Amino acid sequence: MTLGYDNPPVVARLAAELGCPGVPVEVADLCTLKDRRIAALDRAGLAVPRFAVATTVDAALAGLERVGLPAVVKPSDRTGSLGVAKLDARERAREPVERALALSPTGRVVVEEYLSGTEHTVAGFAVDGLLHVTGFADREYGEKERFFPHFFEGGDTLPSVLDAAQRADVVGTVQRGVDALGLTTAVVNTDILRTPDGRVYLLEITCRLTGARIATEVMPLATGVDPLPNAVRLALGRPLVPEELRPTRDRAVVQRYLPADGGTVDSVGDLDALARTPGVHDVFWGLDLAPGTVLPAYRGGDEVLAGTITSGPDVATAEALAARVLSRLPLRLTGPSGAPTTPYEPPH
């Protein structure tokens, strides 16, 4: 089984070689390689961004002419937002396209139409082709373009701001994606964008557990649904236990990240005191930090400095607590000029 990273093709090939239950190799490839996936969803009639696939910079720039501006370039076979960048002008597009191509092991990129709206994660299981949802979270993009051309995802939020009818519409779209990709029996993780006029776009659908602690901690903390036992059963070819898929609570839970953005670590302390704060499930460093560590400039999800998971009676309370925790990290930085600085304080 696979958690978080885009290695279902490896797991599928091992399962096939060893005669174990698993997702068919061709389905695992289809769910993992962005160029194949978006083409399959498009053929099935699902709403997807306008897109072009390219193996050279010139072909990507030609595709950009068809897709239009603004757009997004993505390596076909990377996860964690690695190499993903916004393209807002043709004359500035070459460098991010070159970087995306260099980061792609297969040398392929997807250029997609840039869409605006709310973004969501839907997690669950497909059994005999039927989707069983285990979690529905909103993705926090309030500071999405702070590090342009790179995107910053601030975390995840439960419960969703969408109402029951809107969530049902999103889940219906995910079910159509499950059908389109042949996910008969599999773990399902998706990224959804819903435009202000109510159109639902399936940006990503994969046959793995949602990573970044979302499926294994954030969603269970909010709903009481732990997907891991059923994921193990699925990997063993055993039936799911439906009772474990039913929510047992409805708690407001958020995960929030602090991005790294350069500087040198002057001092770093222990997080235990912050972790004992009521309402804090965890607070953690996203990078290995020690005095003298030079922090990278933010380019994607790998450059998270720290994060926290908090809960409360409502989302606003949980968010406020997360902001306080991240503003009180025991960390001192020195900027490029040699002057002391402090980490970016998240919005309240």
Side-chain angles (χ1 to χ4, degrees):
M1 55 184 285
T2 178
L3 167 61
Y5 292 96
D6 280 340
N7 56 9
V10 175
V11 174
R13 283 167 171 78
L14 285 171
E17 178 70 22
L18 299 172
C20 297
V23 174
V25 169
E26 60 274 14
V27 174
D29 288 347
L30 195 59
C31 290
T32 304
L33 299 173
K34 294 179 175 66
D35 58 322
R36 296 190 193 180
R37 180 175 60 216
I38 195 169
L41 296 174
D42 186 42
R43 287 194 300 270
L46 279 90
V48 297
R50 293 191 303 273
F51 70 96
V53 179
T55 57
T56 68
V57 174
D58 288 341
L61 295 177
L64 180 60
E65 295 294 331
R66 300 190 300 273
V67 169
L69 290 169
V72 180
V73 63
K74 305 175 180 180
S76 176
D77 37 22
R78 287 290 194 174
T79 187
S81 299
L82 191 64
V84 176
K86 185 176 182 181
L87 310 176
D88 68 339
R90 195 183 191 283
E91 61 270 21
R92 290 192 292 269
R94 180 170 290 273
E95 183 177 348
V97 168
E98 287 176 343
R99 181 170 186 266
L101 274 169
L103 288 168
S104 169
T106 60
R108 299 174 73 84
V109 296
V110 180
V111 178
E112 292 181 5
E113 169 191 13
Y114 177 80
L115 297 170
S116 296
T118 58
E119 298 190 40
H120 313 274
T121 296
V122 178
F125 297 97
V127 180
D128 296 328
L130 181 63
L131 177 67
H132 301 263
V133 175
T134 58
F136 193 121
D138 295 348
R139 305 179 74 177
E140 162 51 37
Y141 274 120
E143 296 279 325
K144 186 173 185 176
E145 296 191 34
R146 176 182 175 86
F147 302 101
F148 177 87
H150 311 290
F151 297 113
F152 173 58
E153 181 179 352
D156 302 272
T157 303
L158 286 94
S160 174
V161 296
L162 301 186
D163 62 31
Q166 293 166 339
R167 293 196 302 272
D169 190 28
V170 168
V171 170
T173 298
V174 175
Q175 177 66 69
R176 291 178 60 206
V178 165
D179 298 339
L181 298 185
L183 288 166
T184 305
T185 302
V187 177
V188 176
N189 167 61
T190 65
D191 291 340
I192 298 289
L193 185 142
R194 184 178 184 274
T195 62
D197 61 1
R199 288 176 296 165
V200 177
Y201 288 83
L202 186 52
L203 300 182
E204 179 177 288
I205 177 167
T206 63
C207 50
R208 59 169 171 81
L209 283 165
T210 312
R213 304 175 70 173
I214 299 166
T216 52
E217 291 179 68
V218 179
M219 288 178 172
L221 190 63
T223 67
V225 178
D226 181 359
L228 278 174
N230 274 315
V232 172
R233 292 184 186 103
L234 210 63
L236 296 173
R238 298 177 182 173
L240 300 189
V241 176
E243 299 80 45
E244 294 181 6
L245 303 179
R246 299 189 185 106
T248 58
R249 57 177 175 257
D250 185 11
R251 180 184 299 172
V253 177
V254 306
Q255 180 166 226
R256 291 293 183 266
Y257 299 124
L258 188 72
D261 191 29
T264 302
V265 176
D266 184 47
S267 65
V268 58
D270 195 284
L271 295 174
D272 286 351
L274 278 175
R276 290 193 295 270
T277 306
V280 174
H281 173 70
D282 194 19
V283 55
F284 51 91
W285 298 116
L287 299 170
D288 292 329
L289 301 177
T293 299
V294 178
L295 300 178
Y298 185 86
R299 284 192 170 186
D302 287 344
E303 279 83 49
V304 168
L305 181 62
T308 185
I309 301 171
T310 60
S311 62
D314 51 55
V315 168
T317 302
E319 285 182 321
L321 176 58
R324 288 198 301 274
V325 168
L326 293 179
S327 68
R328 297 173 183 174
L329 294 172
L331 179 69
R332 288 179 58 84
L333 304 178
T334 301
S337 65
T341 184
T342 56
Y344 157 65
E345 185 171 335
H348 292 266

